[in-house]
DNA sequence: TTAATAGTTGATAACTATTCCCATGTCAAG
DNA sequence: CTTGACATGGGAATAGTTATCAACTATTAA
């Protein structure tokens, strides 16, 4: 079963190597499409699978939603940013010795190991400082809050129109929405930091909420 | 925002603790349903999320398809079996010291770390030996080969009816299926070990293939 | 050179794990 | 008792990935 080096396979490999990053199938698809617009996403997945099977690239399967692929197959570990989900390399010589990636442990035949750190990347740390000052919602590191639904916007608008903190039923009356639905929405918005509750059962819109409403 | 201890929440927690294993939402759903048949899968997910938020259980997000939850929140690492995807604990005191789970590294503020080994569990090692001797397909460790499709079964049947090794087109003629489709199926079956190719372009059914066909 | 066969592709359907949605239900505080 | 916060069941929606298959291309044996 020879492995045929097709154009698409070559381009996928080259682009992954060129980027010097841990890419998802999707990101790579976006890049490869510039050179080969008709390529299929399935082809990208297939070839990443094939290439990682031969060992020329590494399949990371770092936890989180998407799988990442790495053209650097040498042994190194990873840091993931908990906020923007970027993945970067780290090299920890100390650990290598004490923590072998092959051998036997508790009856298991160990085939490999993965050491993964997670924390906040420098950009997201900076971004958090900026956000507290409410200068911008921009992130620069690929993470963004979800778009608000129409109902959520209505609720926020009603809250903004209110002078002081108001109850769920007031919002319901103002928007014409059902009271129960409104309180559900409020709970969601509170979780996202767009709404706060200065006193029990009374709610107000936050500065962040105002910004979100405009976007 | 008090956390209400509902019946479903209690049962989910109890069962997770009782099992002394790393369970997926789905497995837990199966167990909990025996005590509370009307519970919703969404409720299981929600509560695992809530409980891991409070820290009484741990959300593993070990790599691989499914997320696992653990009632033991103490710091320990994990081994995953690459074959049956079982997850078990390991304790490596040495590493703990050299590999802190909090601090700063390369500009990142580290919030945690995950060390994961992967290899073959003792059961799967044993199973592999048994399978070579063709005594049984049973695994005992939760891993099972996929069910064969009707076409695959047809192809295998035709191959079994054949005396010696036969070509794809013979199979096509015997089954009435398209030749190209047949060669695709054969390739798949070969990957799964149900078919081998004693000489180029000639195929035969393996012992394993015969067993699979019956099931 | 040619026919058979192996390997590959693009398009799209299917799948799986998880999350969202919302009407309805329950609890606790006033 | 009412109100609102918190929860639930069930189904729809989503995201990422995998499977399917007809069409295409390269390779090999004859």
């Amino acid at each position: 079963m020879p492995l045929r080096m097709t154009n698409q396979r070559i381009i996928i490999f080259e682009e992954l190597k060129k980027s010097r990053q841990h890419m998802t199938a999707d990101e790579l698809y976006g890049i490869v499409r510039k050179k080969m617009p008709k390529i299929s996403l399935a082809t990208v997945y297939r070839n990443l699978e094939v290439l990682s099977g031969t060992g020329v690239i590494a399949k990371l399967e770092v936890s989180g939603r998407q799988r990442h692929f790495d053209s650097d197959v040498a042994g190194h570990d990873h840091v993931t940013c908990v906020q923007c989900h970027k993945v970067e390399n780290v090299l920890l010589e100390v650990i290598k010795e004490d923590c072998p990636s092959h051998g036997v442990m508790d009856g298991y035949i160990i085939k490999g190991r993965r050491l993964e750190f997670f924390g906040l990347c420098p950009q997201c740390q900076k971004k958090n400082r900026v956000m507290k000052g409410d200068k911008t919602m921009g992130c620069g590191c690929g993470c963004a809050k979800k778009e608000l639904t129409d109902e959520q916007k209505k609720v926020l608008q009603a809250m903004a129109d209110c002078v002081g903190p108001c109850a769920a039923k007031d919002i319901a009356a103002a928007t014409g929405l059902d009271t129960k639905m409104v309180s559900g929405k409020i709970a969601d918005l509170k979780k996202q930091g767009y709404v706060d509750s200065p006193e029990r059962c009374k709610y107000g819109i936050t500065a962040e909420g105002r910004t979100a409403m405009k976007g």
Side-chain angles (χ1 to χ4, degrees), chain A residues 6-22:
Chain A
T6 61
N7 264 320
Q8 13 298 72
R9 198 160 284 170
I10 290 165
I11 291 183
I12 287 168
F13 180 54
E14 299 273 281
E15 292 301 323
L16 180 61
K17 214 164 49 178
K18 204 183 289 171
S19 86
R20 298 236 144 274
Q21 271 191 67
H22 307 84

Side-chain angles (χ1 to χ4, degrees), chain A residues 92-173:
Chain A
L92 290 171
E93 285 305 329
V94 216
I95 289 158
K96 267 197 180 165
E97 291 156 32
D98 291 332
C99 172
S101 57
H102 291 270
V104 177
M105 179 197 290
D106 292 359
Y108 274 71
I109 296 176
I110 301 297
K111 305 274 192 180
R113 72 126 217 269
R114 162 171 41 249
L115 176 54
E116 200 189 325
F117 292 90
F118 33 106
L120 269 182
C121 70
Q123 288 91 319
C124 284
Q125 290 170 39
K126 197 186 297 170
K127 175 216 150 195
N128 289 354
R129 278 198 294 278
V130 172
M131 272 189 44
K132 276 207 182 123
D134 195 27
K135 294 255 169 53
T136 169
M137 285 285 289
C139 168
C141 63
C143 80
K145 295 241 176 178
K146 262 190 206 172
E147 189 93 35
L148 294 172
T149 65
D150 283 358
E151 280 83 15
Q152 288 180 319
K153 279 184 190 163
K154 267 192 198 169
V155 170
L156 276 181
Q157 187 58 59
M159 224 171 245
D161 294 344
C162 232
V163 195
C166 48
K169 67 172 175 186
D170 301 332
I171 305 291

Side-chain angles (χ1 to χ4, degrees), chain A residues 32 34 79 110 114 176:
Chain A
V32 167
K34 286 179 193 154
V79 219
I110 301 297
R114 162 171 41 249

